[in-house]
Structure formats: structure tokens, C-alpha cells
Amino acid sequence: MPASKARTARYDGCVRPDLLVRVTADPIGAGEAVEFVSDAAAGGTCVFLGTVRDHSDAGGVTGLRYEAWEDQAVRRLEEVADELFERWPLRKVAFLHRFGELGLGEVSVVVACSSAHRAEAFEACRHGIERLKRDVPIWKKEHLTTGASSWVMGS
């Protein structure tokens, strides 16, 4: 990751009435996302929570550090949301992502989608997290129990 591009994200807020994007150092959780995507016309809401686990392919993990390129992360999340709205008949979408140091069990990412029917909400939510992990400039560094730390790409 180019050092000139990586910086601490500050963006925080509702992009439009049907989309919430929040990149923050503060704790995140399902509550805010569910409250935002709630809609009287939605019969299904799907929420994905990504949490810091205690292991990876590299070994035992003690925590993670996330860094984000703020302007590009927000722009890419808006583009991913636009794609979700084009592919599925969604009511609302929320993307929340942490940055900074996170400990085991902490929530690092939340994706929530609401739709008239559950199938669309499930499919869109799954697609949303996969695209976020692949295309949004937010980087993850694993801190291992051995004392080593390394950036993890595309996970």
C-alpha cells in the first residue's frame, strides 16, 4: 500500500436517504445499521458482521489494525451500493467499517441490506461484503501471537 495513499479515515455519515456509509475509529455494531435500513416496505433485512478472530492462516492473532484511504473508500462504497441497488430491489443499504487498532471479538465491518423479500436482502448483503473486501481501499494488518505483524491483502 502506498504510504501517501494510506491515512486515517474521517468520513462519517448518511450519504443519501437510502444509503449509510460510516468509516470510523469508534466501535460499530448491528444496531445502527439495522435501525438505518429498517423500512416499512421491507420484509427482509440481512446483516453481516465481520469480527476480529483469534487465528488466521499465519497463526494465532492478538488483534488487527485497519487503515483506509478515506476519499477513495467512501467513493468505492457508494459505487458498490449503486451496484447493489441496480441488481436487487433494495430499500436501504448500510456499510460501516472500523479503522485503527481492534482487539479480538471487536466488530470491524457491518453490511446491512433491506428489501421486500429475504432472498434479495441475503444476496445483496453477501455481494456487498465480497465487493467491499475486494475493491475498497481499506487495509488490514494482523498482529500475531509470535510478535510479528503483517499486512493481509484481499482477505
Side-chain angles (χ1 to χ4, degrees), residues 8-23:
T8 302
R10 294 177 301 118
Y11 182 80
D12 188 51
C14 181
V15 175
R16 57 186 193 238
D18 61 355
L19 176 60
L20 172 66
V21 173
R22 193 158 73 84
V23 179

Side-chain angles (χ1 to χ4, degrees), residues 48-146:
F48 171 80
L49 297 177
T51 57
V52 180
R53 66 179 182 263
D54 67 357
H55 66 281
S56 73
D57 291 341
V61 171
T62 61
L64 300 176
R65 175 172 187 78
Y66 284 94
E67 291 189 12
W69 181 8
E70 177 189 357
D71 298 337
Q72 290 299 313
V74 170
R75 183 179 67 77
R76 289 298 300 136
L77 287 169
E78 290 176 15
E79 290 172 2
V80 172
D82 287 342
E83 179 181 331
L84 298 181
F85 282 110
E86 288 172 14
R87 289 184 64 175
W88 291 280
L90 301 176
R91 301 299 303 165
K92 296 181 181 178
V93 172
F95 285 110
L96 310 177
H97 207 298
R98 286 280 305 272
F99 66 86
E101 296 290 336
L102 280 75
L104 297 178
E106 288 190 74
V107 176
S108 58
V109 61
V110 180
V111 177
C113 298
S114 62
S115 182
H117 304 286
R118 68 182 176 274
E120 290 87 355
F122 272 111
E123 291 168 12
C125 191
R126 171 69 186 261
H127 189 78
I129 186 62
E130 298 299 341
R131 289 295 307 276
L132 183 156
K133 299 297 284 179
R134 188 181 78 201
D135 297 335
V136 177
I138 298 173
W139 299 277
K140 176 173 75 173
K141 184 181 228 180
E142 289 181 337
H143 303 304
L144 303 175
T145 56
T146 62

